[in-house]
Amino acid sequence: MSSVESHQEQLSQSDPSSSSNSCSSFELIDMDAGSLYEPVSPHWFYCKIIDSKETWIPFNSEDSQLLEEAYSSGKDCNGRVVPTDGGRYDVHLRERMRYAVYWDELASEVRRCTWFYKGDKDNKYVPYSESFSQVLEETYMLAVTLDEWKKKLESPNREIIILHNPKLMVHYQPVAGSDEWGSTPTEQGRPRTVKRGVENISVDIHCGEPLQIDHLIFVVHGIGPACDLRFRSIVQCVNDFRSVSLNLIQTHFKKAQENQQIGRVEFLPVNWHSPLHSTGVDVDLQRITLPSINRLRHFTNDTILDVFFYNSPTYCQTIVDTVASEMNRIYTLFLQRNPDFKGGVSIAGHSLGSLILFDILTNQKDSLGDIDSEKDSPNIVMDQGDTPTLEEDLKKLQLCEFYNIFEKEKVDKEALALCTDRDLKEMGIPLGPRKKILNYFRTRKNSTGINRSTLQSASGAKIPKESEFCSSNDDTRNDEYLDVGIGQVSVKYPQLIYKPEIFFAFGSPIGMFLTVRGLKRIDPNYKFPTCKGFFNIYHPFDPVAYRIEPMVVPGVEFEPMLIPHHKGRKRMHLELREGLTRMSMDLKNNLLGSLRMAWKSFTRAPYPALQASETAEETETEPESSSEKCSDIDTEETSVAVKEEAPPIKVGMLNGGQRIDYVLQEKPIESFNEYLFALQSHLCYWESEDTVLLVLKEIYQTKDGH
């Protein structure tokens, strides 16, 4: 190396102007600036298969530094496991593989990258293998120190790389067929650019995520394996949701983050589709599926049928068990990997996933057990009282005409609960009323504690809470599934090992399913046994979303809460629309007022009568105009901000007394055609800044409240 160093000194002291050749002069000037060799800075990448193509993605700067430190730490470095991506992945240095921690995913190859070449079909750079990168680096070092360029190397794939100078290095692919007779590869074909060091290629390298985790949210998907129009999995969609949250924390919670008051919110996906379809049901379906329109039938079997699976006792049990066990498993694993975590846990569900979570939450037991649940139950029971008489029960079922038959047979409530269908038939009760009576009293057995152990072990549903939940005013409230209070499929609902703080529902059909199950009204005093908050968030054009608040307050019509735009105020086209609406209302009122005045002057009576007539007409027209003004003011006020409305509307205790329904603002292009953007509206939540910001605000408000 001494000769190399002396030669390097000579090069550094040489005057480039002495050269007569202008090109070589340019090269010497260029080389004089970089003649002192500096080792390349490595950066770590991992390989993902995207659209059947290998794509190399850089680790964020912090993770790459951690990997490099582990790599350089010594002999035992190869056996080390380095957590990356906020702890969601582990990199095994020996294997050079990256594994997902909380969910199933194909392992990704990991590479310590220093040299890159431009890909064939796109402008993305591809890293060379670590061994060949080392050969390139050694060649480059010699070329710099000895000033000997135009170095030619052959890659393991028999491709040619030529180092012309530090600014011009190319990679030649051999032309197809040029090697058929064993000839050596030449620099034929289109040259591709070669770059040294990650700083010389165009690639986005993000900063690392905050180490402090303030809150954990489990996200449950809806029907099918794909969660958006790009047919991405729940893992990819939740990655987007998390990325949006990290950006919003930097912009909307900047001071709190700089003061280290907050860190970040972790979102982890929960997948139930794969375990459901690995039960063998797909094979059974395939046997009975018609061969025509194959793709459409496959889509139906793989996606739409999930709704029917959830309404089947067998597969519903599989789904709820999978969701609950996955959340419990991930929660336990998360605590093991984050022993200092002191934050809360919330849950979020999209589409059918929100219904699954809703049913699980309604069947939870609080930590103090059934005793306290029964102690609290008088506060949230139905209006008819705990022990209605037989006559009241029959009146509720609209079967009063059969009361005399039961009285004649000396059948009271307890005796009737023991009657079979044959007994009622012998008493002369028709088939329809028999079914109503049997279903009602069997359900009442469970909710009043009669034969509870037998029925609850068979159905598994936590009936008392459900009966409290659905204090419907409809007399046919109990015409539902056998032994189930709110029409849920008769399954045994598992218990969560934590108490969720908030339940977020995105594009949720909960309201529709409850209505189809026969419920008309949710008791305003009802709340989830273990969860305090509930937000029903939806896009106005979402065809799957339904409201919840009208089921709590059925007699009052009011708008949902408008979610503010993440950049503040309303979208401009909504303000313009409301302004035009107000202007048209004013014009209409003024025009009507002018016509009335003209008509009055045309049919003018003597002055005293005119005075009385005007007074009467004014009193007649006042309610109309005032109601129009009130409705105009109402729509304006309810849509200005999430927390401002007058007067406050009481919507029960499902969300701790706060509003439940929250609607997003549609984009200007979406307002042109509601039908065109309907499907997209159901899948828009993953990248919606407005949705994520509402979630973050509610979480950090809850955190401050604690």
Side-chain angles (χ1 to χ4, degrees):
M1 285 300 293
S2 60
S3 61
V4 172
E5 289 174 359
S6 62
H7 189 77
Q8 188 174 346
E9 288 178 5
Q10 292 174 7
L11 282 174
S12 62
Q13 293 171 1
S14 63
D15 185 4
S17 62
S18 60
S19 175
S20 59
N21 190 315
S22 60
C23 179
S24 61
S25 172
F26 171 78
E27 289 184 4
L28 282 170
I29 290 170
D30 189 50
M31 282 316 304
D32 186 53
S35 59
L36 292 174
Y37 169 76
E38 293 183 3
V40 65
S41 298
H43 195 94
W44 291 74
F45 282 65
Y46 62 92
C47 182
K48 293 281 287 185
I49 306 298
I50 301 175
D51 297 331
S52 302
K53 293 188 302 181
E54 286 188 354
T55 303
W56 286 91
I57 303 170
F59 284 95
N60 65 58
S61 53
E62 290 185 9
D63 287 345
S64 180
Q65 186 177 352
L66 288 173
L67 289 166
E68 185 63 22
E69 289 174 358
Y71 173 80
S72 308
S73 61
K75 295 180 180 178
D76 298 332
C77 66
N78 285 334
R80 291 190 58 177
V81 176
V82 181
T84 62
D85 300 274
R88 296 181 296 277
Y89 289 88
D90 281 341
V91 172
H92 294 241
L93 283 180
R94 183 190 301 275
E95 303 172 24
R96 292 291 198 272
M97 298 297 285
R98 172 177 176 264
Y99 297 93
V101 173
Y102 298 107
W103 56 82
D104 292 330
E105 182 180 311
L106 289 175
S108 305
E109 182 186 350
V110 172
R111 192 173 289 179
R112 182 177 181 264
C113 304
T114 52
W115 286 77
F116 307 84
Y117 66 92
K118 189 172 285 188
D120 288 328
K121 298 179 181 178
D122 52 23
N123 291 323
K124 293 181 179 178
Y125 280 88
V126 180
Y128 288 105
S129 66
E130 292 186 35
S131 57
F132 189 64
S133 293
Q134 190 173 354
V135 174
L136 284 169
E137 183 63 20
E138 291 173 355
T139 306
Y140 177 85
M141 180 184 69
L142 289 173
V144 170
T145 53
L146 300 176
D147 191 21
E148 295 178 359
W149 292 96
K150 297 192 182 297
K151 294 283 187 181
K152 186 181 294 187
L153 294 88
E154 184 177 337
S155 74
N157 297 328
R158 305 202 67 192
E159 298 175 348
I160 297 296
I161 294 91
I162 301 178
L163 309 183
H164 292 286
N165 61 53
K167 302 294 183 182
L168 180 60
M169 296 175 281
V170 291
H171 177 134
Y172 290 97
Q173 269 190 320
V175 176
S178 63
D179 244 5
E180 286 181 358
W181 302 99
S183 60
T184 58
T186 62
E187 40 288 14
Q188 296 177 0
R190 185 172 60 88
R192 293 185 290 179
T193 307
V194 176
K195 294 291 184 181
R196 174 180 180 265
V198 71
E199 64 275 4
N200 292 317
I201 66 173
S202 56
V203 62
D204 293 328
I205 299 177
H206 301 285
C207 298
E209 301 174 12
L211 295 177
Q212 177 186 334
I213 300 176
D214 302 320
H215 204 88
L216 174 63
I217 298 184
F218 295 112
V219 184
V220 180
H221 66 85
I223 62 173
C227 296
D228 66 356
L229 289 176
R230 286 174 279 175
F231 297 98
R232 297 185 305 165
S233 67
I234 180 64
V235 173
Q236 294 170 300
C237 291
V238 171
N239 286 344
D240 275 353
F241 204 85
R242 187 187 306 108
S243 298
V244 173
S245 74
L246 291 171
N247 293 333
L248 288 174
I249 285 176
Q250 291 177 356
T251 56
H252 289 70
F253 301 85
K254 190 174 182 180
K255 285 187 177 179
Q257 193 175 46
E258 287 175 352
N259 297 332
Q260 296 184 345
Q261 294 174 340
I262 65 172
R264 66 182 175 92
V265 177
E266 180 63 282
F267 298 88
L268 295 178
V270 176
N271 181 14
W272 54 265
H273 181 269
S274 300
L276 169 68
H277 287 262
S278 63
T279 57
V281 65
D282 287 353
V283 178
D284 298 335
L285 282 172
Q286 191 59 39
R287 284 200 297 266
I288 60 174
T289 301
L290 302 183
S292 59
I293 50 173
N294 185 43
R295 290 185 181 179
L296 181 58
R297 294 188 192 277
H298 175 74
F299 173 79
T300 302
N301 290 350
D302 204 33
T303 304
I304 299 175
L305 286 190
D306 285 349
V307 178
F308 298 96
F309 285 138
Y310 188 65
N311 286 308
S312 157
T314 302
Y315 296 109
C316 178
Q317 186 71 64
T318 301
I319 293 172
V320 295
D321 284 347
T322 301
V323 171
S325 63
E326 272 294 284
M327 290 196 294
N328 288 340
R329 179 189 67 82
I330 296 173
Y331 179 68
T332 304
L333 182 57
F334 179 83
L335 291 183
Q336 291 174 0
R337 294 175 64 89
N338 301 272
D340 298 329
F341 176 71
K342 304 296 181 186
V345 185
S346 294
I347 54 179
H350 176 243
S351 191
L352 183 65
S354 63
L355 178 67
I356 297 168
L357 291 176
F358 184 88
D359 288 344
I360 290 175
L361 286 179
T362 57
N363 288 279
Q364 294 300 294
K365 299 174 183 176
D366 60 20
S367 57
L368 298 179
D370 289 335
I371 297 175
D372 285 346
S373 298
E374 292 172 12
K375 191 186 299 181
D376 292 339
S377 63
N379 298 324
I380 50 177
V381 292
M382 298 175 289
D383 296 335
Q384 70 263 23
D386 288 338
T387 55
T389 63
L390 176 60
E391 189 173 5
E392 290 172 345
D393 284 334
L394 292 173
K395 186 178 180 182
K396 184 181 295 295
L397 296 172
Q398 297 180 345
L399 300 174
C400 298
E401 63 269 24
F402 300 107
Y403 177 70
N404 292 332
I405 296 177
F406 293 128
E407 193 175 30
K408 180 181 178 182
E409 297 288 340
K410 299 188 183 301
V411 175
D412 57 8
K413 287 184 65 172
E414 291 185 7
L416 187 56
L418 299 173
C419 287
T420 63
D421 182 77
R422 185 175 181 179
D423 295 331
L424 295 177
K425 186 176 181 180
E426 289 177 354
M427 283 187 255
I429 309 294
L431 177 63
R434 286 204 309 269
K435 294 298 181 184
K436 281 187 177 183
I437 292 169
L438 288 172
N439 190 24
Y440 177 76
F441 281 99
R442 284 175 183 168
T443 305
R444 291 293 296 179
K445 278 183 187 180
N446 206 359
S447 60
T448 55
I450 301 173
N451 200 15
R452 174 177 294 185
S453 58
T454 306
L455 287 175
Q456 194 160 1
S457 63
S459 69
K462 193 176 174 223
I463 307 304
K465 283 292 180 188
E466 293 170 6
S467 60
E468 294 157 7
F469 163 76
C470 53
S471 59
S472 170
N473 290 334
D474 186 33
D475 289 340
T476 61
R477 182 183 67 82
N478 290 283
D479 297 342
E480 298 161 349
Y481 289 97
L482 188 64
D483 295 335
V484 179
I486 62 168
Q488 292 171 322
V489 180
S490 180
V491 298
K492 184 175 182 179
Y493 286 92
Q495 299 298 303
L496 302 177
I497 60 176
Y498 55 87
K499 288 186 176 182
E501 292 186 3
I502 306 175
F503 168 35
F504 298 99
F506 306 137
S508 172
I510 291 173
M512 180 270 290
F513 270 86
L514 294 180
T515 302
V516 169
R517 289 170 176 176
L519 303 181
K520 299 293 183 182
R521 179 173 176 264
I522 298 173
D523 190 330
N525 293 321
Y526 178 78
K527 54 188 176 183
F528 294 123
T530 58
C531 183
K532 297 178 181 178
F534 176 35
F535 289 83
N536 182 37
I537 302 168
Y538 60 92
H539 190 284
F541 302 155
D542 189 338
V544 179
Y546 290 81
R547 292 191 63 184
I548 296 293
E549 290 174 341
M551 297 190 71
V552 183
V553 192
V556 183
E557 291 187 6
F558 52 92
E559 295 295 319
M561 297 301 292
L562 188 71
I563 300 176
H565 191 264
H566 65 283
K567 292 184 178 178
R569 60 185 294 163
K570 289 184 185 177
R571 293 183 184 269
M572 187 173 292
H573 71 285
L574 293 179
E575 290 186 341
L576 180 62
R577 182 194 299 170
E578 289 186 2
L580 291 173
T581 304
R582 282 196 297 269
M583 187 173 69
S584 64
M585 290 293 294
D586 292 341
L587 286 172
K588 186 180 77 170
N589 291 336
N590 291 337
L591 180 62
L592 288 174
S594 301
L595 289 174
R596 288 194 192 102
M597 290 301 295
W599 178 254
K600 289 176 193 174
S601 61
F602 180 73
T603 58
R604 186 178 295 274
Y607 187 74
L610 173 66
Q611 222 171 9
S613 171
E614 281 181 347
T615 307
E617 288 192 8
E618 281 174 7
T619 55
E620 287 175 6
T621 57
E622 261 181 18
E624 181 184 354
S625 61
S626 66
S627 66
E628 288 172 355
K629 288 178 183 176
C630 284
S631 65
D632 189 28
I633 292 169
D634 264 350
T635 55
E636 182 181 355
E637 286 183 351
T638 53
S639 60
V640 166
V642 174
K643 297 295 181 185
E644 295 181 6
E645 53 183 62
I649 301 170
K650 296 180 179 179
V651 290
M653 297 305 295
L654 257 180
N655 194 20
Q658 299 182 58
R659 294 292 300 273
I660 300 170
D661 293 335
Y662 290 79
V663 62
L664 293 165
Q665 302 179 42
E666 73 270 18
K667 296 177 181 177
I669 192 173
E670 293 173 342
S671 60
F672 286 111
N673 193 320
E674 299 178 3
Y675 296 95
L676 188 62
F677 292 95
L679 180 59
Q680 179 179 328
S681 299
H682 182 58
L683 306 171
C684 73
Y685 306 99
W686 307 116
E687 298 176 355
S688 168
E689 292 96 339
D690 301 348
T691 301
V692 179
L693 186 58
L694 175 63
V695 170
L696 292 176
K697 283 181 176 178
E698 293 301 327
I699 284 171
Y700 282 114
Q701 282 178 6
T702 306
K703 184 173 180 285
D704 294 339
H706 288 319

